[in-house]
Amino acid sequence: MIGSGPAGLTFARVLHRHGHPVTVLERDPAPDARPPGGTLDLHEGLGQLALDKAGLLAEFQALSRPEGQAMRILDTDGTVLRDWRPRPDDRANPEIDRGQLRDLLLGPLDVQWGRGVTQVAPGTRDGVLVHFADGRQETFDLVVGADGAWSRVRPAVSSATPHYTGVTYVETFLDDVDTRHPDLARLIGDGSVAVYGVNRALVAQRNSGGHVKVYAQFRAPLDWHTNLDLADVEAVRSSLLALFDGWAAPVLDLLRHGTAFVDRPLYVLPVSHTWTHVPGVTLLGDAAHLMPPLGAGANLAMLEGAELAESIATGPADLDEAVHAFEEQMWARAGRWAKITTAGLERLVSPDPAEALALFDQVQPS
């Protein structure tokens, strides 16, 4: 297993539960080598099902935040258009911080940290040959690439590469929001607040511990920041405030109080990305089907990891047969979700902000 994200760790954890050894290789030198990211909503039939297969559902329920499902939508002048709150017993899509989920999945797993992979070569005499960044090489019976958007495993099965969607996110964050920014804490509520304008949006999402992630979303060329030093916090802030000029002051405070800014252009793989099966190598998650980040990616990745692990542990004796059957199932489901999320991104960052509201009403009717 290459990659210790949600897909890779779920795969390893389910195999571990079935008593099968698995080697997890991760390029990061340690679990906390970089920020783990924001919060994830895990769906009942996807991510939560995967955790159930791993025997971790009860622990997840103790950590998760059902109240984080709340969603408020504002007009650019600050008018509240929608204010949806979950029922007390609603467990359809509770939130959990990525770092908490990672630690939950890691549990007893043995991860080899600092093992960056540069190339994977199937079809050698002894199996699949893996080349490492330190010059070493090892062979494996099966290599599962769960190493994200810019996967080093993918070229072994597919020539596809991610392409830019035309939409960029610029991420910032607020800490200790309830104490330091109580007005913004009330604006955000228990979950998320979103404001949609012409070809742009501002979204703030509560994480645990008073931490809030803020995403400025807009359509722009990939090189939109050519004349901007992204390391200059005040310059980026000024540029974003100009981009959202005229929006309500409380909404713009989400940017005014942001601590640092990170440019995150959105890339995707082709909607129906498949490949001719290659014995000994397969892909999971973003490595297999990178799609817009609209709540499906991590959920699919985790379920795929769990399903592949179960197929290997309890399926046909022929390992290659089990993997090939899994791929067929993964491609069909991921293709459906890729179409949904691609269409969703078109509507959420749209010339007509009413499209975003209409999409919300379809997904979360009042």
Side-chain angles (χ1 to χ4, degrees):
M1 165 54 59
I2 297 176
S4 67
L9 291 182
T10 304
F11 170 78
R13 195 66 191 265
V14 173
L15 273 184
H16 181 273
R17 191 184 191 196
H18 284 275
H20 287 254
V22 59
T23 302
V24 180
L25 306 169
E26 169 56 51
R27 68 179 180 180
D28 283 350
D32 56 356
R34 55 194 171 105
T39 183
L40 294 170
D41 59 318
L42 295 191
H43 302 187
E44 276 182 323
L46 295 172
Q48 290 186 59
L49 177 57
L51 289 173
D52 192 28
K53 292 176 182 291
L56 297 171
L57 187 57
E59 292 177 62
F60 163 75
Q61 289 171 341
L63 286 170
S64 67
R65 294 176 284 106
E67 71 279 5
Q69 299 171 92
M71 183 70 186
R72 181 176 292 149
I73 298 180
L74 309 181
D75 201 346
T76 56
D77 64 4
T79 302
V80 177
L81 301 175
R82 300 288 186 275
D83 193 359
W84 183 84
R85 303 179 193 188
R87 300 183 313 275
D89 61 343
D90 191 334
R91 297 292 186 274
N93 309 292
E95 298 281 342
I96 186 170
D97 288 9
R98 281 180 176 269
Q100 293 175 321
L101 179 64
R102 175 201 61 205
D103 294 344
L104 174 63
L105 289 168
L106 272 173
L109 295 179
D110 180 21
V111 178
Q112 295 185 17
W113 302 99
R115 301 294 309 277
V117 170
T118 58
Q119 185 183 0
V120 171
T124 67
R125 184 180 62 186
D126 299 319
V128 182
L129 182 64
V130 176
H131 298 258
F132 292 92
D134 61 7
R136 287 186 286 176
Q137 301 177 3
E138 292 183 40
T139 55
F140 297 89
D141 295 329
L142 173 65
V143 173
V144 180
D147 51 342
W150 305 103
S151 170
R152 296 300 181 93
V153 182
R154 189 191 299 125
V157 300
S158 170
S159 62
T161 55
H163 63 270
Y164 178 50
T165 60
V167 175
T168 284
Y169 285 13
V170 177
E171 175 188 320
T172 188
F173 63 89
L174 309 169
D175 273 327
D176 197 13
V177 67
D178 299 288
T179 301
R180 299 174 61 186
H181 308 290
D183 289 345
L184 288 181
R186 285 189 290 271
L187 181 77
I188 296 162
D190 290 333
S192 301
V193 63
V195 190
Y196 298 103
V198 176
N199 285 328
R200 66 206 64 193
L202 268 177
V203 177
Q205 189 172 40
R206 187 180 281 271
N207 292 224
S208 63
H211 185 78
V212 169
K213 293 284 188 184
V214 179
Y215 304 92
Q217 309 172 1
F218 50 92
R219 293 195 175 274
L222 190 56
D223 62 355
W224 69 273
H225 51 76
T226 299
N227 298 317
L228 185 66
D229 179 1
L230 291 174
D232 186 336
V233 173
E234 293 310 318
V236 176
R237 191 194 319 278
S238 295
S239 177
L240 291 175
L241 288 171
L243 185 65
F244 292 92
D245 184 45
W247 289 31
V251 172
L252 295 183
D253 281 344
L254 294 168
L255 299 174
R256 291 194 181 99
H257 296 296
T259 305
F261 295 92
V262 181
D263 182 43
R264 299 196 185 282
L266 298 190
Y267 285 84
V268 294
L269 282 167
V271 165
S272 298
H273 178 232
T274 62
W275 55 89
T276 301
H277 175 72
V278 175
V281 184
T282 193
L283 306 173
L284 300 175
D286 286 350
H289 48 67
L290 181 64
M291 61 186 73
L294 300 183
N299 279 278
L300 290 174
M302 292 174 66
L303 185 56
E304 290 160 8
E307 289 177 342
L308 178 58
E310 285 188 337
S311 296
I312 291 170
T314 65
D318 186 319
L319 177 63
D320 194 54
E321 182 184 338
V323 172
H324 197 182
F326 160 78
E327 287 174 337
E328 296 283 350
Q329 177 180 317
M330 173 180 64
W331 292 332
R333 181 173 56 211
R336 292 194 299 270
W337 277 102
K339 289 176 183 176
I340 291 169
T341 55
T342 298
L345 183 64
E346 290 296 314
R347 298 180 71 183
L348 290 176
V349 189
S350 161
D352 181 5
E355 282 293 314
L357 198 62
L359 178 61
F360 174 82
D361 287 340
Q362 287 178 0
V363 174
Q364 196 67 74
S366 55

